[in-house]
């Protein structure tokens, strides 16, 4: 008989332990030394987990890649409570850099920011309108170099103790703000391997295809955001077996 899903309080305790785990290197640990010289500008993102709002996890199968074996049902059991979600946004399609890409709230560290945590909270407030007073910061994860943008990005892990309303604050920056159920992200039916081709080179990484809880629009989570989520889920033992041969082409 499967064990009961973790209550949100237990999930928070696991995330707190992860924030204090100095052995957790995050994604692309083996490539850090090679990537580091191309990433010098500090930036931060807010990885904000909390108790799901009034919209439940989807529980419906995602589109199946042509010729791929049938995935496990979207309702497959996970050790994670279906009451858990993570805050994401979709970048505006008019941006020159990564238009339309799903991301964590965040951005560059400004000179007036006290530290990367302050930058992550400020950016999240500016992008989504959330009230930082309701956010409990659990800790900073290892900084990740992103050569494509030249940034050294610190994921700031946090828990939404007192959720507040969120929205698109600046349509020039974001096209959507939404809370993605973690159970949907973990469902094998919603997991793919992203394939990016650019100038004769090919990159592969984790990807998630999840419906926006409010609009039903399917959104692809890949790149930096998917890598961080995938590493967190693996480290916490939340990941369910999924078919990595199911691929999804994404733009460079």
């Amino acid at each position: 008989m499967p064990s009961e899903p973790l209550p949100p309080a237990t999930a928070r305790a696991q995330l707190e332990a992860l924030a204090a785990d100095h052995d957790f290197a995050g994604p692309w640990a083996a490539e850090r030394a090679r990537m580091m010289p191309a990433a010098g500008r500090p930036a931060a993102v807010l990885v904000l987990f909390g108790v799901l709002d009034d919209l439940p996890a989807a529980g419906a199968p995602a589109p199946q890649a042509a010729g791929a074996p049938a995935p496990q049902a979207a309702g497959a059991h996970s050790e994670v409570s279906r009451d858990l979600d993570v805050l994401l946004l979709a970048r505006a399609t008019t941006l020159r850099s990564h238009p339309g890409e799903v991301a964590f709230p965040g951005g560059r560290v400004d000179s007036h920011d006290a530290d990367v945590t302050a930058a992550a909270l400020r950016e999240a407030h500016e992008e989504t309108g959330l009230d930082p007073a309701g956010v409990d910061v659990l800790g900073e994860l290892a900084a990740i170099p992103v050569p494509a943008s030249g940034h050294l990005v610190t994921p700031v892990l946090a828990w939404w103790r007192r959720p507040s309303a969120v929205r698109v604050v600046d349509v020039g920056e974001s096209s959507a703000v939404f809370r993605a159920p973690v159970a949907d992200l973990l469902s094998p039916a919603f997991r793919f391997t992203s394939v990016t081709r650019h100038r004769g080179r090919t990159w592969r990484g984790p990807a998630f295809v999840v419906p926006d809880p409010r609009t039903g629009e399917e959104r692809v989570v890949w790149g930096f955001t998917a890598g961080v989520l995938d590493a967190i889920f693996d480290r916490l033992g939340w990941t369910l077996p999924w078919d990595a041969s199911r691929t999804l082409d994404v733009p460079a």
Side-chain angles (χ1 to χ4, degrees):
M1 183 175 180
S3 58
E4 289 297 314
L6 292 172
T10 305
R12 172 178 172 143
Q14 287 188 308
L15 291 164
E16 284 182 311
L18 179 68
D21 182 0
H22 299 298
D23 292 330
F24 176 58
W28 311 295
E31 294 84 7
R32 292 280 174 84
R34 175 179 57 80
M35 297 162 63
M36 195 66 76
R41 292 179 293 179
V45 295
L46 188 67
V47 186
L48 181 60
F49 290 91
V51 177
L52 188 67
D53 56 15
D54 57 340
L55 296 170
Q64 186 173 336
Q72 199 171 335
H77 177 73
S78 166
E79 290 298 316
V80 180
S81 170
R82 294 186 73 82
D83 291 335
L84 194 65
D85 66 14
V86 61
L87 182 64
L88 299 172
L89 58 81
R91 291 168 56 83
T93 57
T94 54
L95 292 173
R96 290 193 302 173
S97 176
H98 303 291
E101 187 173 329
V102 174
F104 301 115
R108 294 181 185 178
V109 178
D110 288 344
S111 58
H112 57 77
D113 291 318
D115 50 27
V116 291
T117 292
L121 290 170
R122 174 185 55 76
E123 286 281 349
H125 172 68
E126 291 175 357
E127 292 179 328
T128 73
L130 70 76
D131 180 4
V135 174
D136 289 343
V137 174
L138 306 180
E140 299 168 6
L141 303 182
I144 302 168
V146 183
S149 65
H151 288 108
L152 184 62
V153 184
T154 300
V156 176
L157 195 58
W159 182 261
W160 216 348
R161 171 177 42 82
R162 189 175 68 245
S164 52
V166 290
R167 67 192 190 284
V168 172
V169 175
D170 183 351
V171 294
E173 294 288 336
S174 307
S175 61
V177 173
F178 61 100
R179 299 169 63 173
V182 171
D184 283 351
L185 291 167
L186 292 173
S187 169
F190 294 147
R191 299 213 58 177
F192 291 82
T193 295
S194 65
V195 180
T196 307
R197 298 176 177 86
H198 184 61
R199 296 180 178 176
R201 301 183 65 184
T202 300
W203 290 267
R204 294 173 178 267
F208 309 84
V209 177
V210 293
D212 184 318
R214 295 196 176 277
T215 66
E217 179 182 355
E218 286 186 341
R219 300 192 180 276
V220 179
V221 186
W222 65 285
F224 176 89
T225 305
V228 171
L229 288 171
D230 179 70
I232 289 173
F233 296 158
D234 278 353
R235 187 70 168 185
L236 294 178
W238 293 358
T239 301
L240 293 169
W242 60 283
D243 184 2
S245 70
R246 301 172 69 220
T247 61
L248 194 66
D249 289 336
V250 296

